[in-house]
Amino acid sequence: MTPSPRRKSSSDALLPGWFAVLACTVSLAFAALTPDAAAQSGPAPPPSSATPPPAAPPPAAPPPAARAYTTGLAPMPGDIEVPLALMPPGTAVSPVPSDEIFPPQTIPLRFNHKKHVQELKLSCRSCHAGAYTSRTTKDQLLPPGSQCDSCHDVDHSDIASVKAGTDENGQCAFCHLGENPGAGGRVAAVVLPDANLRFPHDKHLARNIQCGQCHGQVGQLELATRDQLPRMAGCFGCHNMSGAAQGEARGECTVCHLTHPDGRLVQAFPTGDLLPPRWLHDAGHTPDWLERHKTVAGANSALCASCHSAQYCADCHDGRIRPRKVHPNDWLSMHAQAARQDNPRCVSCHQQQTFCADCHRRTGVARDVASGNRPTGSRFHPPPAEWTLAPRSARHHAWEAERNLNACVSCHTERDCATCHATKGLSGGQGVNPHPLGFEHKCRAAFSKNSRPCLVCHQSNDSFLRTCR
């Protein structure tokens, strides 16, 4: 007996209809929450007879020029500080190059020296061949774009219309950073002002002075910047040597620095005034220079004369600008000894026939002053027994005249000397012989060279001159 089929209840009959109503309600609710969905989907598709729309293509890859490069933008990756061992010699005392000697530069380039030198095994001469024949800082030593064409997929034969290749390393943005505003797509220009310096690259390279001895270890850096330019303290490593080691690398300022026609250094530049550094003989013109300069000038006045004339110093020290603080307070009592020891330094500021003689006349310590005006017990020279009369001693005037005749003529004229030394009867001469022993055997050469000094004391027909003619 087969079982009869189960009868459906009323709830079983209503389930399919209720489920369909619930599904429609949920669909309408979601459609109400996302109103843009319908707008984005566009109009309803046509009947099944219409073909479906094609699928959207995937987004295109960015062109090579749009890549964000991270290397070759600074000397070190991430623009970290360059180790001192890789910097040019002298960086320890001069951290940055002088703005007056090396004006600021603009280098809108991306370049990796380390890759070219260490990986590609290129030498400095491969790109900077012009340095090996350069004799002036006005020479252009940066390689032209055409020199890069042999390795990069680019054509610089017409610089006004550079043709980029298809490879990534041939795109303009691979090396150039940005464009010149309003230049019609031309890349930003490299600005390298001429250095205010005399520097022959060829002479240094001929003496086997390699690039790293002036520019540091550029081959271990990425982008070479202005910081790799030489420092003056590094130059003195060779130019301040002594003897044969120095060679032609003299240490005078005018060897490297630009000069005026009178030989003084050019000091004023658009980027500032050229001033000595503190490490150079302590001559830095810092705020305490007014107090320190007397010591530096006294020890090495030639250093000051590299930039300043004697009139420059006099304009300050004559009392018109600064009070006279050149000498110590007791200088009047001490200056006689200093003048005898180092007369040339005195005449750098004072005129002997005016300043010195006028002061001596006013004070009565001078030969042409009336004896009544001379202060009691005051004399310029030692007593006559030591200064004038024989025998000669270390205090005799003959020794002073032979040692420094300029000091004598600051007060005396030839007539004063002839009063004693001329032949008797000539200019009131007393016939005192000023010549050393044995002079008559060599007077012929002196007379033939310049007879005028002889004729101050002797007449042309003087018998004493017969052996000298």
Side-chain angles (χ1 to χ4, degrees):
M1 183 173 179
T2 59
S4 60
R6 191 173 74 86
R7 255 182 101 177
K8 296 181 180 179
S9 64
S10 61
S11 60
D12 293 335
L14 294 176
L15 183 59
W18 174 83
F19 185 79
V21 173
L22 178 62
C24 292
T25 304
V26 173
S27 300
L28 291 174
F30 273 103
L33 291 175
T34 57
D36 293 339
Q40 293 176 1
S41 61
S48 57
S49 61
T51 58
R67 274 192 55 182
Y69 297 106
T70 58
T71 62
L73 301 173
M76 297 293 289
D79 200 15
I80 63 175
E81 184 176 359
V82 180
L84 188 61
L86 304 183
M87 294 295 288
T91 303
V93 294
S94 300
V96 295
S98 167
D99 287 345
E100 294 74 36
I101 301 300
F102 300 109
Q105 303 173 348
T106 302
I107 310 178
L109 294 175
R110 190 180 78 91
F111 190 86
N112 193 329
H113 278 85
K114 186 175 182 180
K115 180 178 182 63
H116 287 74
V117 174
Q118 298 191 10
E119 295 184 25
L120 303 179
K121 305 301 180 183
L122 297 179
S123 65
C124 299
R125 192 165 193 159
S126 301
C127 297
H128 302 282
Y132 290 77
T133 58
S134 172
R135 294 191 174 185
T136 173
T137 57
K138 297 184 180 297
D139 293 336
Q140 176 57 260
L141 304 183
L142 195 70
S146 58
Q147 195 163 343
C148 306
D149 295 350
S150 59
C151 297
H152 291 259
D153 184 24
V154 63
D155 182 6
H156 285 89
S157 58
D158 183 4
I159 198 64
S161 180
V162 178
K163 299 176 182 179
T166 57
D167 291 345
E168 181 182 2
N169 69 5
Q171 305 301 311
C172 298
F174 188 76
C175 298
H176 295 276
L177 306 177
E179 300 179 357
N180 276 341
R186 296 178 65 90
V187 297
V190 177
V191 180
L192 299 177
D194 296 335
N196 298 312
L197 199 67
R198 296 190 182 108
F199 189 88
H201 278 82
D202 61 341
K203 290 186 177 181
H204 288 76
L205 289 163
R207 293 184 62 86
N208 199 30
I209 299 174
Q210 298 303 312
C211 307
Q213 291 178 249
C214 298
H215 296 284
Q217 303 305 311
V218 179
Q220 300 186 39
L221 306 177
E222 293 186 357
L223 182 67
T225 65
R226 181 174 169 274
D227 288 342
Q228 273 65 57
L229 293 174
R231 308 294 198 273
M232 181 177 172
C235 300
F236 267 84
C238 294
H239 285 263
N240 207 29
M241 288 183 176
S242 59
Q246 186 184 50
E248 298 180 1
R250 301 187 309 276
E252 290 85 354
C253 304
T254 54
V255 172
C256 300
H257 289 283
L258 306 181
T259 56
H260 291 292
D262 61 359
R264 293 181 297 114
L265 301 187
V266 177
Q267 304 151 50
F269 296 99
T271 50
D273 294 333
L274 183 66
L275 299 173
R278 184 67 180 259
W279 57 264
L280 184 64
H281 304 296
D282 197 31
H285 288 26
T286 48
D288 61 341
W289 176 240
L290 284 179
E291 184 63 28
R292 290 189 300 106
H293 83 283
K294 57 186 178 184
T295 304
V296 178
N300 189 357
S301 58
L303 176 68
C304 304
S306 300
C307 296
H308 303 291
S309 64
Q311 187 61 43
Y312 178 90
C313 303
D315 287 344
C316 188
H317 285 290
D318 66 355
R320 286 181 293 174
I321 300 177
R322 296 284 180 184
R324 293 187 177 97
K325 291 185 178 180
V326 180
H327 303 301
N329 294 333
D330 59 346
W331 184 244
L332 284 179
S333 61
M334 299 290 295
H335 81 284
Q337 181 179 1
R340 288 191 175 100
Q341 289 177 342
D342 195 1
N343 176 266
R345 291 181 63 187
C346 301
V347 299
S348 63
C349 293
H350 305 293
Q351 296 294 325
Q352 293 174 330
Q353 292 287 355
T354 55
F355 184 89
C356 301
D358 287 350
C359 185
H360 281 229
R361 292 188 186 99
R362 288 196 305 269
T363 57
V365 187
R367 182 177 182 275
D368 53 354
V369 174
S371 58
N373 294 335
R374 297 177 181 172
T376 304
S378 177
R379 62 170 55 249
F380 183 75
H381 297 305
E386 299 177 2
W387 183 250
T388 307
L389 303 178
R392 293 185 181 183
S393 67
R395 292 170 62 83
H396 197 274
H397 77 280
W399 298 109
E400 284 295 324
E402 292 178 0
R403 187 186 69 85
N404 190 359
L405 186 62
N406 285 335
C408 300
V409 299
S410 63
C411 293
H412 300 282
T413 63
E414 287 182 339
R415 182 184 64 252
D416 298 331
C417 302
T419 301
C420 294
H421 291 292
T423 303
K424 288 185 178 182
L426 177 64
S427 301
Q430 301 300 314
V432 178
N433 185 5
H435 302 300
L437 294 176
F439 180 77
E440 63 272 12
H441 299 296
K442 54 183 179 181
C443 67
R444 183 184 298 271
F447 186 85
S448 62
K449 185 177 181 180
N450 184 9
S451 62
R452 184 193 175 281
C454 305
L455 298 176
V456 172
C457 297
H458 302 281
Q459 289 182 342
S460 59
N461 59 353
D462 196 325
S463 59
F464 291 101
L465 292 181
R466 292 175 182 175
T467 58
C468 301
R469 289 184 182 277

Coordinates of all heavy atoms in Angstrom, one line a residue, residues 79-118:
D79 N 70.5 63.5 1.0 CA 71.1 64.8 1.3 C 71.7 64.9 2.7 O 71.6 65.9 3.4 CB 70.0 65.9 1.1 CG 70.6 67.3 1.0 OD1 71.9 67.4 0.7 OD2 69.9 68.3 1.1
I80 N 72.3 63.8 3.2 CA 72.9 63.8 4.5 C 74.2 64.6 4.4 O 74.7 64.8 3.3 CB 73.2 62.4 5.0 CG1 74.1 61.6 4.1 CG2 71.8 61.6 5.2 CD1 74.5 60.2 4.6
E81 N 74.8 64.9 5.5 CA 76.1 65.7 5.5 C 77.2 64.9 4.9 O 77.4 63.7 5.2 CB 76.4 66.1 6.9 CG 77.6 67.0 7.0 CD 77.9 67.5 8.4 OE1 77.1 67.2 9.3 OE2 78.9 68.2 8.6
V82 N 78.0 65.5 4.1 CA 79.2 64.8 3.5 C 80.3 64.7 4.5 O 80.6 65.6 5.2 CB 79.7 65.7 2.3 CG1 80.9 65.0 1.7 CG2 78.6 65.9 1.3
P83 N 80.8 63.5 4.7 CA 81.9 63.3 5.7 C 83.1 64.2 5.3 O 83.4 64.5 4.2 CB 82.3 61.8 5.5 CG 81.1 61.2 4.9 CD 80.4 62.2 4.0
L84 N 83.8 64.7 6.4 CA 84.9 65.6 6.2 C 86.0 65.0 5.4 O 86.7 65.8 4.6 CB 85.4 66.1 7.6 CG 86.4 67.2 7.5 CD1 85.8 68.5 7.0 CD2 86.9 67.5 9.0
A85 N 86.2 63.7 5.4 CA 87.3 63.1 4.7 C 87.0 63.2 3.2 O 88.0 63.0 2.4 CB 87.4 61.6 5.1
L86 N 85.8 63.4 2.7 CA 85.5 63.5 1.3 C 85.5 64.9 0.8 O 85.4 65.2 -0.4 CB 84.1 62.8 1.0 CG 84.0 61.4 1.4 CD1 82.6 60.9 1.0 CD2 85.1 60.5 0.9
M87 N 85.6 65.9 1.7 CA 85.6 67.3 1.3 C 86.9 67.8 0.9 O 88.0 67.2 1.1 CB 85.0 68.1 2.5 CG 83.6 67.8 2.8 SD 82.4 68.2 1.5 CE 82.5 70.0 1.6
P88 N 87.0 69.0 0.2 CA 88.3 69.5 -0.2 C 89.2 69.8 1.0 O 88.7 70.1 2.1 CB 87.9 70.8 -1.0 CG 86.5 70.6 -1.4 CD 85.9 69.7 -0.3
P89 N 90.5 69.7 0.8 CA 91.4 70.1 1.9 C 91.2 71.5 2.4 O 90.9 72.4 1.6 CB 92.8 69.9 1.3 CG 92.6 69.0 0.1 CD 91.2 69.2 -0.4
G90 N 91.3 71.7 3.7 CA 91.0 73.0 4.2 C 89.6 73.3 4.7 O 89.3 74.3 5.3
T91 N 88.7 72.3 4.5 CA 87.3 72.5 4.9 C 87.1 72.6 6.4 O 86.2 73.2 6.9 CB 86.4 71.3 4.3 OG1 86.6 71.3 2.9 CG2 85.0 71.5 4.6
A92 N 88.1 72.0 7.1 CA 88.0 72.0 8.6 C 88.0 73.4 9.1 O 87.4 73.7 10.1 CB 89.1 71.1 9.2
V93 N 88.8 74.3 8.5 CA 88.9 75.7 9.0 C 88.0 76.6 8.1 O 87.7 77.7 8.6 CB 90.4 76.1 9.0 CG1 91.2 75.4 10.0 CG2 91.0 76.0 7.6
S94 N 87.7 76.2 6.9 CA 86.8 77.0 6.1 C 85.6 76.1 5.6 O 85.7 75.5 4.5 CB 87.5 77.6 4.9 OG 88.6 78.4 5.3
P95 N 84.6 76.0 6.4 CA 83.5 75.0 6.0 C 82.9 75.2 4.7 O 82.4 74.3 4.0 CB 82.5 75.2 7.2 CG 83.3 75.8 8.3 CD 84.3 76.7 7.7
V96 N 82.8 76.5 4.2 CA 82.1 76.8 2.9 C 83.1 77.6 2.1 O 83.9 78.3 2.6 CB 80.8 77.5 3.1 CG1 79.8 76.6 3.9 CG2 81.0 78.8 3.9
P97 N 82.9 77.5 0.8 CA 83.8 78.4 -0.1 C 83.4 79.9 0.1 O 82.4 80.2 0.5 CB 83.4 77.9 -1.5 CG 82.8 76.6 -1.3 CD 82.1 76.6 0.0
S98 N 84.4 80.7 -0.3 CA 84.2 82.2 -0.1 C 83.2 82.6 -1.2 O 83.4 82.4 -2.4 CB 85.6 82.9 -0.3 OG 85.4 84.2 -0.5
D99 N 82.2 83.4 -0.8 CA 81.3 84.0 -1.7 C 81.9 85.0 -2.7 O 81.5 85.2 -3.8 CB 80.1 84.7 -1.0 CG 79.1 83.7 -0.4 OD1 79.2 82.5 -0.8 OD2 78.4 84.0 0.5
E100 N 83.0 85.7 -2.1 CA 83.6 86.7 -3.0 C 84.5 86.1 -4.1 O 84.6 86.6 -5.2 CB 84.5 87.6 -2.1 CG 83.8 88.4 -1.1 CD 83.2 87.6 0.1 OE1 83.9 86.7 0.5 OE2 82.1 87.9 0.6
I101 N 85.1 84.9 -3.8 CA 85.9 84.2 -4.8 C 85.0 83.3 -5.7 O 85.2 83.3 -6.9 CB 87.0 83.4 -4.1 CG1 87.9 84.3 -3.2 CG2 87.8 82.7 -5.1 CD1 88.6 85.4 -4.0
F102 N 84.1 82.6 -5.1 CA 83.3 81.7 -5.9 C 81.8 82.2 -5.7 O 81.2 81.8 -4.7 CB 83.4 80.3 -5.4 CG 84.8 79.7 -5.5 CD1 85.6 79.5 -4.4 CD2 85.4 79.5 -6.8 CE1 86.9 79.0 -4.5 CE2 86.6 79.0 -6.9 CZ 87.4 78.7 -5.8
P103 N 81.3 83.0 -6.6 CA 79.9 83.5 -6.4 C 78.9 82.3 -6.4 O 79.2 81.2 -7.0 CB 79.7 84.3 -7.7 CG 81.1 84.8 -8.1 CD 81.9 83.6 -7.7
P104 N 77.7 82.4 -5.8 CA 76.8 81.3 -5.8 C 76.4 80.8 -7.2 O 76.4 81.6 -8.1 CB 75.6 82.0 -5.1 CG 76.1 83.1 -4.3 CD 77.3 83.6 -5.0
Q105 N 76.1 79.5 -7.2 CA 75.8 78.9 -8.5 C 74.4 78.3 -8.5 O 73.7 78.2 -7.4 CB 76.8 77.7 -8.7 CG 78.3 78.1 -8.7 CD 79.2 76.9 -8.8 OE1 78.8 75.8 -8.6 NE2 80.5 77.2 -9.0
T106 N 73.9 78.0 -9.7 CA 72.6 77.3 -9.8 C 72.9 76.1 -10.7 O 73.3 76.2 -11.9 CB 71.6 78.2 -10.5 OG1 71.4 79.4 -9.8 CG2 70.2 77.5 -10.7
I107 N 72.6 74.9 -10.1 CA 72.9 73.6 -10.8 C 71.6 72.8 -10.8 O 71.4 71.9 -10.0 CB 74.0 72.8 -10.1 CG1 75.2 73.8 -9.9 CG2 74.4 71.6 -11.0 CD1 76.4 73.1 -9.2
P108 N 70.7 73.1 -11.7 CA 69.4 72.3 -11.8 C 69.6 71.0 -12.6 O 69.0 70.7 -13.6 CB 68.5 73.3 -12.5 CG 69.4 74.0 -13.4 CD 70.7 74.2 -12.7
L109 N 70.5 70.1 -12.1 CA 70.8 68.9 -12.7 C 70.7 67.7 -11.8 O 70.8 67.9 -10.5 CB 72.3 68.9 -13.3 CG 72.5 69.9 -14.4 CD1 74.0 69.9 -14.8 CD2 71.7 69.6 -15.7
R110 N 70.6 66.6 -12.3 CA 70.7 65.3 -11.6 C 71.8 64.5 -12.1 O 71.8 64.2 -13.3 CB 69.4 64.5 -11.7 CG 69.3 63.3 -10.7 CD 68.0 62.6 -10.9 NE 68.0 61.7 -12.1 CZ 68.4 60.5 -12.1 NH1 68.8 59.9 -11.0 NH2 68.3 59.8 -13.2
F111 N 72.9 64.3 -11.3 CA 74.0 63.6 -11.8 C 74.7 62.8 -10.7 O 74.9 63.3 -9.6 CB 75.0 64.6 -12.4 CG 76.2 63.9 -13.2 CD1 76.0 63.6 -14.5 CD2 77.3 63.6 -12.6 CE1 77.0 63.0 -15.2 CE2 78.4 63.0 -13.2 CZ 78.2 62.6 -14.6
N112 N 75.1 61.6 -11.0 CA 75.7 60.7 -10.0 C 77.1 60.4 -10.4 O 77.4 59.6 -11.2 CB 74.9 59.4 -10.0 CG 75.2 58.6 -8.7 OD1 76.4 58.6 -8.2 ND2 74.3 57.8 -8.2
H113 N 78.0 61.2 -9.8 CA 79.5 61.0 -10.0 C 79.9 59.6 -9.6 O 80.7 58.9 -10.3 CB 80.3 62.0 -9.3 CG 80.4 63.3 -10.0 ND1 79.4 64.3 -9.9 CD2 81.3 63.9 -10.9 CE1 79.7 65.4 -10.6 NE2 80.9 65.1 -11.2
K114 N 79.4 59.1 -8.5 CA 79.8 57.8 -8.0 C 79.5 56.7 -9.0 O 80.4 55.8 -9.2 CB 79.2 57.5 -6.7 CG 79.6 56.3 -6.0 CD 79.0 56.2 -4.6 CE 79.5 54.9 -3.9 NZ 78.9 54.8 -2.5
K115 N 78.4 56.8 -9.6 CA 78.0 55.8 -10.6 C 78.9 55.8 -11.8 O 79.4 54.8 -12.3 CB 76.6 55.9 -11.0 CG 76.1 54.9 -12.1 CD 74.6 55.1 -12.4 CE 74.1 54.1 -13.4 NZ 74.2 52.7 -12.8
H116 N 79.2 57.0 -12.3 CA 80.1 57.2 -13.5 C 81.5 56.8 -13.2 O 82.2 56.2 -14.0 CB 80.0 58.6 -14.0 CG 78.7 58.9 -14.7 ND1 77.5 59.2 -14.0 CD2 78.4 59.1 -16.0 CE1 76.6 59.5 -14.8 NE2 77.0 59.4 -16.0
V117 N 82.0 57.1 -12.0 CA 83.4 56.9 -11.7 C 83.7 55.4 -11.3 O 84.6 54.8 -11.8 CB 83.9 57.9 -10.7 CG1 85.4 57.5 -10.2 CG2 83.9 59.3 -11.2
Q118 N 82.9 55.0 -10.3 CA 83.1 53.7 -9.7 C 82.5 52.5 -10.5 O 83.1 51.5 -10.6 CB 82.7 53.7 -8.2 CG 83.4 54.7 -7.4 CD 83.2 54.5 -5.9 OE1 82.6 53.5 -5.5 NE2 83.6 55.5 -5.1

